[in-house]
Every structure is written in structure tokens, then in C-alpha cells.
Amino acid sequence: MASPSRLLATLAATFLLCTTTAIPIAAAAATTTVNVTSFGKSYGKVCDSGRFAELGLDMSSFPYCNASLPYADRVRDLIGWMTVEEKVSNLGDVARGAPRVGLPPYKWWSEALHGISSTGPATLFDDLRSRAGNHSGRATVNNGTVFANVINTAASFNETLWKSIGQVVSTEARAMYNLGKGGLTYWSPNINIVRDPRWGRALETPGEDPFVAGRYAVNFVRGMQDIPGHVTAADPNSRPIKTSACCKHYAAYDVDDWHNHTRFTYDARVTARDMAETFLRPFEMCVRDGDASAVMCSYNRVNGVPACADARLLTGTLRGEWGLHGYVVSDCDAVRVMVDNATWLGFSGADAGAAAVRAGLDLDCGENWKVDENGEPLADFLTAYGMAAVAEGKMSEADVDGALRNQLMTLMRLGYFDNIPEFAGLNETDVCTEEHRGLALDGAKQGIVLLKNHGGRLPLDPKETLAVAVHGPHARAPEKVMDGDYTGPPCRYVTPRQGISNHVKISHRAKTAIYFGGINLHIEREGNDREDILLPRNQTEEILRFAKASPNPIILVILSGGGIDISFAQNHPKIGAILWAGYPGGEGGNAIADVIFGRYNPGGRLPLTWYKNKYIKQIPMTSMEFRPVPEHGYPGRTYKFYDGPDVLYPFGYGLSYTKFLYNTTTTGAAVTVPVPGGHCKGLSYKPSVAAAGAAPACQAVNVDGHACAETVSFNVTVSNAGGRAGAHVVLVYTAPPPEVDQAPIKQVAAFQRVFVPAKGAATVPFALNVCRAFGIVERTAYTVVPSGVSRVIVENGDASSSVSFPVKIELSV
């Protein structure tokens, strides 16, 4: 998310967080929260009469502190007190406040991708050697709960887990805030789709399916934001929230740095169909179903227009169509990028800032670009050029008021002005609790995927396998290998070797060998896309050497975010088992060991396709099309459209230590869908169908004009044919009528993770909404339900069992 100068900004932020005196508007902001005044007394809210008295102000004179008034009235009053200079000084992520009228500075930038991160100026973990209250607040906090990376967590296909992680993260965030060590606004989750296997940020995302990414967003955001008793409200803008979550990076962002194409200069040329069907869908779900209070626009241009200056995307879609209740923030330095990198329309700083605000941007994350001789950030781009934009008539004061209104309404909802009583008592004892560490361990285990288990090589029995040999570069993995990016210091850090040693003795002379390999943030990360999808050559050679020397087939554990072509290992008789552990977080070593030694039966399924390396030779990373492009020889992207040779492991693949079988009593379904007003939509049919005149008179109904009340209900019985209990993910796909041209091969419509006892069974009910489950996007970007026979497909992760049945959809005019 951050620009290449993030490290400099982090060092500068550390200096800022040590400051405890009030600073004039024109200078750098004061403490990370409102808790500490220039007199050194702590306060938990802006509207505290004692705090105002210390500033020489009478709080009763400011209606914005009258908690009996609606939020909108209070925000209007606060903005009314501010001068235009004060307003502009609050358009950046280090907002200067307006001490003259009692508004303190505020640092907006915090991260919580998979736990509270030390990235950004608002969050500060104390050094392990520091005394209590060394940096700020009354207590020392050295660590936070670090969960597995998002790609791991997505592999669990467990919506309950996703929401629970959000709840834990927000609890630790409120505790950090109360201690003066963090903010209330978190720029997570990352819900961009993994379009290409080379993308360096795959580890941060829920994978390649837009529906799965959207459901992840909804659950994580709900976990971060929802307060019991305040899940809904007549006026969503007044609904209190626990912390603020932000879905990013909007939109069509998935190129970081590939063959001189960087995210700062890249122009994503996207068809209307791909935009609606794939790139926008997770964000729509995040805003409409998750009620996210923030969205971050991306660096790149979309069809020629910078995302952060695209009024159609920000105002038209985000607010107009989806009804965003919150603020829009730029990716860090994205406004500057318009001027210095993309050189869009020859804009000056004032031009870029004004264009962004008028398009719907409310906040500029931009403290990275301009620092003083000490590395201290001086100004974001909007703050630096905002007054010039106003003076030149490029941006009105009313434009600035609109941006501030969206910001301040969010802070009102967070209790920044009044506090939220149920969270006021959270403190250092609510960080890294035993319960939180337990969830991190459980989540890491749920996301581990068993890729190969020839001859039942796993699990190992510690009563029979008394010792193992441990090899590979990730056996003693440093934190960045296990934790990935956007992380804080973990509560504790368990390496794979340490996890294994908790079960058996480690000896180089052991007959059973485990190799821990994969890649790391030197190869895949923000700002760095991969050149290939192979293991480093030295690892491949080493694995083959150990396999040849070992008396028994070895076990291979891969740590990575994106997929890796390990065809050599999948087909090798002396490599008996393969596990993908992703980047499993602070408890990762124990999670891996619990799976290897059978304390946990793996049930994860891949949230993205693992291609063979020849795929990247067939299609450049800059090709944005998802559907195959025959004239260029492009095979298509993701499981929904790829039509090339066999992949290594398909989306949804995953084995278990037992065998699961499917059954359903549903042999078919028929649904009649009325067409409002008789307005049918056209469809693209395959040439043979069109030539034969076989297309129905009413081909499809537009979802936007339909009530969408029809459902298809059915049960799937999952039987455990083995002697070991375990969790299993039931993935439901729908396939459109085969005569429709350029439609998805299939698409995820629902999923559930269930526990099935040994030799037992579980019945899993599904009710598919016809519009959402069977809708497809036509080339004109309408989402339609097609007439004809679609299919429901339920596939086992190891392809050993599946059920399917036809669904006849009739359109009634």
C-alpha cells in the first residue's frame, strides 16, 4: 500500500509518537491519539471538559461536543468553527486538528491486515527493552496477536473464522488506542483479486474468486466494526462502530512492478464486463453487505483515469450506487503519483489535489513524499497544495467541507469525541491473551492445505516416528518468513523446527526427513512481482538430493503466498507428502507440526489456481482480460475462464487424512422468474446456436430491475468414509447454460466448512438466490439471469466425489 519511501516515513512517525506537547497547525502533529495533552494528563475522548479547560476553552460553547445532538449536526457545527486553512490542514493522514477550537491532531494511518501492524505512524509497539510507558500511555505493549496471512485464512473457507479474527484485531486495536499507542482507523482488508500468479501481493488477499473475496471482506469488516446491539441502524451514518475498516485497493489494481510496468504508471485497460464481474464485485459486497466505513483508491489508472481522481468510480459508484457510509482515502502518495509518475494531463500539485477531492476523495495518505532534514514528514500533497487549489478556484471550500464531513462522521461513529463505554476499559491485558493466541493457532491450522499424500505418508505417528531430520531454508524461518508483510511483533514466535521439536526428537540421522522450503518477501511482496513461479533452483536441487538420500519418502512443506510450480515434487516417488502452509503467522510452527503429527486433520482448500510455469510464457502480466484471447494465444485467467493445459493444482484443491463422499437427493430444479414489464435482455450465444435460431425469445432478465426473491434449495450429505474425524469445505459452483458464449466455465456460489466425525456424516443445507448464484455479466456489463438450463456443481477438494444437478430457469414475460 505504502510508497517506496515508507521506511523513511515510519522512522519519522516514531519521532512524532514520542512528542507529548501541543504543536501549532503549521507544524507536525502531536501524539498519536487525543489522550495526552500538553499538560501530560490523559483523556479518553475529545469532548472532555477538563481537556478543553487545559486549552483555555469552554467546552459548552461548542455544540459539536453536545452528545445529545445528531452526529450530522455536530459535524456541521465543528466544520463551521474552522477556518479554510484549518480545514485544508486536515485533508492528510496526519491531520493537524484545530486546537484553536478544541480539535486535536489525529493520525489516520493504521494497518490490521492479519493483526495490528506496526506499519503507519499511528501504531507504536514498545521495544522489548523499554520501561512501562516508554513511548506513550501508562503501560508497555511489546507485541500483538499475529494471525496467518490472508491467503492462508482464505484457504479455510470459514466465514466464522474470518469474522472472529476481525473481532480479536479490533479488540486489540481499542486497547492500543486506550493506551495512547494506536488509532481507530485501519486500512485493511486488501480484497484485490489475484488475476495473475506472478503478482507480489497475493499473500495479502483472499485469492482469485471475487465472491470468496467479497465474503471475506464482509466478515472481516463486520468483525472489525460491528458492536452488538448496533449492527443495523435507521441511519447507517449514525451507527456506532468499534473500529473503522477500509477495503482496498479500488480498483483493478494487481500490477506492482513487472518488466518496467509499475503501479505508479500502469494504466489498467479493463472491459466493462471484467470490471463489473471481477474487479468491482468484492468492493460492492464490502460496502453494501459489510457496511465498510472506508475505501482506499489505488495508484493505477483505470482506462486512462487515475483511480483516485475518477468521479465515476468514487462518487458515482461508491456513494451513488453502493451507498458508502464513510470516507475515501488515497493509497499513500497516490495524489502525488498523478503529478510525478503518471504525469496525468500535465497536472500541477493544485490540479491533482483539486481533481481528487472533486471526484470524491476525502483524505490523502501522503506523508511520505516530503520530509525535513531529520526525516520528519512535513505535509501530505493535499495539505501542501490545497490552499493554492482553493485560491486558484480549482477547489471550493464547499468541496473541502464535504471531505471533512465524511471524515468527521466516521470519527463520531468511532467514539473519538465521546468514547464508547464498553471499550473504555480495554488495556494491555486484552492484547495477546491466551484466547487470541489460540485463535491464531486454530486459524493457521485451518488454512494449511495438504497437496500430496502418496500412500498415506502423513500423518506421522510420534509413537512410531521417534525422530525426524529437518532441512530447508525455512526450518528456522525468521519472523518475516512466517508473518509475511503488514505485521507487528507477534505475541510469541514459533518456527517450524521448534514446532516439530515439541513432538519428536530432531536428528540428522533420522530415517524420516521434512524439508521446509518456499519463497519469501525478497521474491513476492508489495512493490515486487515475480519473474517466474518456480522454487529457487538451489532448493529444487536440494530437495531432490535429500529425497534420493532418504531411506523413506520425504515430506515437503512449502511456505509462500502465491502458487509455485512444484511439478517435480508432485510426480516424484521419493517425495511422499506435500503441505502448503502459506505464511502462517506467530503460531505457525505449532500449526504445521500439529498437522504433520496428526493432531489436526487438514481441511484447507486452495483459494487460487497453482499453474505450471509455462503459463507465464503464454500471457503477459499486463493483459487484463480474464477470458481467453485466441488471436494472441492467451489461455484466460483464473478457474472461471482458463482453458489451457492442465494446471498443477486447481482452485479449491485440498486433501485430507480421511475420505469424504457426497450425496444429494436433489436431481434437478425448475425456477420461474418473472420479467418486470416484459423487458428482456439479450445474451451472447455461441455461433452455432445463433445460426440455428435456437435462442429463446426472452433470453435473460436484468438483475437490477428484478426483486430477486427466487431461490434453489438443496442439501448435500457429506460422509466420512475414514477413521479420522475432520473439517471439510463444501464448495458449491454454478455453471451457466452451455450455449451462452464467453460465460464463466463455473463460479463459486456458496461454501460451508463443516466438521464430520469419523465414519459419520453431516447434512449441509444450501439456499441459492437465483440472481446472485446464477447471474452472469453480459458484455454490456448488465448482470443477468439467463434463460435455459444451468447447473449446480459440488466438487470434493480431491476430485474423488462430486454431485451436480440441472436447474431449469424459465423467464415469464
Side-chain angles (χ1 to χ4, degrees):
M1 189 215 74
S3 73
S5 54
R6 187 172 70 191
L7 177 60
L8 189 59
T10 301
L11 294 173
T14 303
F15 173 82
L16 286 179
L17 289 165
C18 296
T19 306
T20 57
T21 57
I23 296 177
I25 296 171
T31 61
T32 187
T33 67
V34 305
N35 306 60
V36 184
T37 69
S38 57
F39 297 91
K41 187 173 181 180
S42 296
Y43 296 94
K45 58 186 180 181
V46 170
C47 293
D48 187 297
S49 59
R51 195 185 73 83
F52 272 74
E54 288 190 11
L55 297 171
L57 301 171
D58 179 4
M59 192 179 80
S60 64
S61 300
F62 299 96
Y64 77 82
C65 276
N66 184 347
S68 67
L69 295 177
Y71 289 161
D73 293 348
R74 297 173 65 183
V75 167
R76 189 180 306 111
D77 176 72
L78 175 53
I79 292 174
W81 286 102
M82 298 168 70
T83 66
V84 66
E85 291 83 4
E86 287 170 332
K87 293 173 183 179
V88 168
S89 75
N90 284 275
L91 292 178
D93 64 286
V94 179
R96 311 303 173 181
R100 182 183 60 84
V101 296
L103 180 66
Y106 178 74
K107 294 191 176 91
W108 287 85
W109 183 5
S110 299
E111 301 279 355
L113 184 70
H114 54 113
I116 303 298
S117 171
S118 51
T119 302
T123 304
L124 179 69
F125 288 97
D126 297 292
D127 187 271
L128 285 172
R129 294 164 291 184
S130 65
R131 299 188 305 274
N134 180 51
H135 294 297
S136 58
R138 59 175 172 76
T140 297
V141 179
N142 304 115
N143 315 90
T145 305
V146 175
F147 293 90
N149 275 251
V150 177
I151 197 70
N152 297 67
T153 305
S156 72
F157 286 88
N158 186 343
E159 296 193 60
T160 301
L161 172 67
W162 300 344
K163 186 173 184 179
S164 296
I165 290 174
Q167 290 170 329
V168 165
V169 172
S170 59
T171 292
E172 296 197 354
R174 292 293 312 204
M176 293 284 283
Y177 173 77
N178 291 343
L179 295 170
K181 298 176 184 294
L184 294 170
T185 46
Y186 287 83
W187 295 344
S188 304
N190 179 345
I191 57 170
N192 294 118
I193 297 303
V194 182
R195 176 182 55 88
D196 190 282
R198 288 161 285 197
W199 189 34
R201 301 188 75 170
L203 68 156
E204 300 178 31
T205 78
E208 71 182 41
D209 182 79
F211 175 76
V212 174
R215 290 307 304 166
Y216 178 88
V218 170
N219 283 278
F220 184 81
V221 167
R222 288 289 179 182
M224 287 286 288
Q225 295 193 165
D226 284 358
I227 300 172
H230 298 283
V231 176
T232 60
D235 176 13
N237 286 305
S238 67
R239 181 174 77 93
I241 53 178
K242 187 179 179 184
T243 58
S244 171
C246 173
C247 285
K248 63 184 186 185
H249 310 80
Y250 179 75
Y253 163 58
D254 54 12
V255 172
D256 268 62
D257 190 351
W258 183 80
H259 290 190
N260 296 320
H261 297 278
T262 75
R263 56 185 175 168
F264 305 127
T265 58
Y266 187 63
D267 185 6
R269 295 287 172 169
V270 185
T271 66
R273 173 188 273 183
D274 284 339
M275 201 70 179
E277 182 176 55
T278 301
F279 291 118
L280 294 187
R281 193 178 188 198
F283 289 94
E284 180 178 8
M285 295 170 70
C286 175
V287 172
R288 282 186 161 170
D289 301 331
D291 194 25
S293 55
V295 170
M296 175 180 284
C297 53
S298 54
Y299 291 113
N300 57 283
R301 285 167 286 165
V302 180
N303 296 326
V305 181
C308 290
D310 193 328
R312 181 186 55 178
L313 282 176
L314 303 187
T315 299
T317 302
L318 267 183
R319 295 198 184 279
E321 294 181 28
W322 301 345
L324 173 68
H325 309 119
Y327 69 97
V328 179
V329 61
S330 73
D331 204 340
C332 293
D333 289 339
V335 179
R336 179 194 61 78
V337 161
M338 295 183 210
V339 178
D340 292 348
N341 298 85
T343 60
W344 189 58
L345 301 180
F347 268 10
S348 66
D351 291 328
V357 171
R358 291 199 313 269
L361 185 73
D362 302 310
L363 184 70
D364 179 18
C365 177
E367 286 290 320
N368 297 341
W369 71 283
K370 190 175 183 181
V371 297
D372 65 13
E373 63 276 7
N374 298 316
E376 182 178 343
L378 293 174
D380 59 272
F381 221 60
L382 277 181
T383 298
Y385 294 103
M387 284 308 301
V390 172
E392 295 169 17
K394 297 172 179 176
M395 177 172 70
S396 70
E397 187 172 357
D399 294 328
V400 179
D401 288 353
L404 289 181
R405 189 177 305 115
N406 293 326
Q407 294 180 27
L408 294 171
M409 285 291 286
T410 304
L411 292 178
M412 283 281 180
R413 296 172 63 195
L414 285 163
Y416 180 69
F417 290 87
D418 309 313
N419 214 331
I420 297 178
E422 53 260 60
F423 305 129
L426 296 174
N427 56 38
E428 68 277 7
T429 65
D430 298 290
V431 180
C432 280
T433 67
E434 184 177 351
E435 180 183 5
H436 295 179
R437 296 196 307 271
L439 183 65
L441 174 60
D442 185 47
K445 289 189 289 190
Q446 289 193 39
I448 291 175
V449 182
L450 180 61
L451 299 175
K452 178 182 179 180
N453 198 22
H454 184 70
R457 185 73 182 97
L458 290 177
L460 300 179
D461 185 345
K463 295 179 181 178
E464 297 179 0
T465 306
L466 302 180
V468 298
V470 176
H471 305 291
H474 293 339
R476 302 176 186 267
E479 285 186 17
K480 278 297 181 182
V481 170
M482 299 291 281
D483 294 351
D485 207 354
Y486 286 95
T487 181
C491 307
R492 64 177 181 180
Y493 179 65
V494 183
T495 68
R497 182 183 175 90
Q498 289 169 334
I500 296 297
S501 68
N502 291 332
H503 292 261
V504 296
K505 181 181 178 181
I506 295 177
S507 169
H508 285 296
R509 289 189 289 270
K511 295 182 178 180
T512 297
I514 306 172
Y515 188 96
F516 292 93
I519 54 180
N520 56 34
L521 298 189
H522 292 292
I523 295 174
E524 57 173 350
R525 67 178 186 280
E526 177 179 3
N528 189 77
D529 298 318
R530 295 159 67 185
E531 292 297 315
D532 58 45
I533 52 175
L534 296 169
L535 273 181
R537 178 175 294 182
N538 65 315
Q539 285 191 42
T540 301
E541 294 170 350
E542 198 171 53
I543 291 167
L544 292 173
R545 186 166 67 251
F546 282 122
K548 182 178 180 180
S550 176
N552 297 324
I554 71 169
I555 297 155
L556 174 62
V557 180
I558 296 293
L559 277 71
S560 72
I564 300 176
D565 183 357
I566 49 172
S567 303
F568 76 94
Q570 178 64 25
N571 301 324
H572 199 292
K574 288 294 295 292
I575 300 175
I578 305 173
L579 287 172
W580 175 69
Y583 297 117
E587 297 290 330
N590 283 334
I592 293 168
D594 282 352
V595 170
I596 287 176
F597 290 99
R599 294 183 62 181
Y600 190 87
N601 188 353
R605 298 178 70 167
L606 291 178
L608 40 71
T609 303
W610 281 34
Y611 298 93
K612 296 176 183 177
N613 193 58
K614 61 184 178 183
Y615 175 83
I616 68 170
K617 303 180 186 303
Q618 295 176 284
I619 185 169
M621 193 171 175
T622 49
S623 170
M624 299 298 292
E625 296 91 347
F626 279 84
R627 288 162 176 79
V629 185
E631 60 267 31
H632 296 309
Y634 297 167
R637 297 189 180 279
T638 78
Y639 79 93
K640 293 175 67 174
F641 300 105
Y642 175 74
D643 69 352
D646 288 345
V647 299
L648 178 59
Y649 303 117
F651 174 90
Y653 180 82
L655 308 177
S656 171
Y657 293 155
T658 189
K659 182 67 67 177
F660 295 104
L661 303 175
Y662 289 169
N663 187 38
T664 182
T665 58
T666 303
T667 57
V671 182
T672 300
V673 179
V675 179
H679 300 300
C680 300
K681 298 297 294 183
L683 275 181
S684 300
Y685 285 97
K686 292 179 179 176
S688 58
V689 176
C698 187
Q699 299 171 0
V701 59
N702 179 13
V703 166
D704 289 339
H706 184 58
C708 293
E710 297 80 15
T711 60
V712 173
S713 297
F714 59 97
N715 294 331
V716 175
T717 299
V718 183
S719 301
N720 186 340
R724 187 181 293 269
H728 180 70
V729 174
V730 184
L731 266 174
V732 177
Y733 302 89
T734 58
E739 62 268 19
V740 179
D741 194 27
Q742 292 196 335
I745 299 167
K746 62 182 180 180
Q747 57 188 5
V748 176
F751 54 89
Q752 289 191 48
R753 186 181 179 104
V754 295
F755 183 83
V756 189
K759 301 296 183 180
T763 298
V764 188
F766 291 97
L768 305 183
N769 179 277
V770 170
C771 288
R772 294 186 178 183
F774 296 91
I776 60 173
V777 178
E778 243 303 283
R779 65 172 182 264
T780 52
Y782 278 101
T783 300
V784 298
V785 175
S787 173
V789 179
S790 297
R791 295 196 71 82
V792 169
I793 305 166
V794 189
E795 294 181 345
N796 202 323
D798 62 2
S800 64
S801 179
S802 66
V803 296
S804 67
F805 58 86
V807 176
K808 185 177 182 180
I809 300 175
E810 295 182 346
L811 303 181
S812 175
V813 180

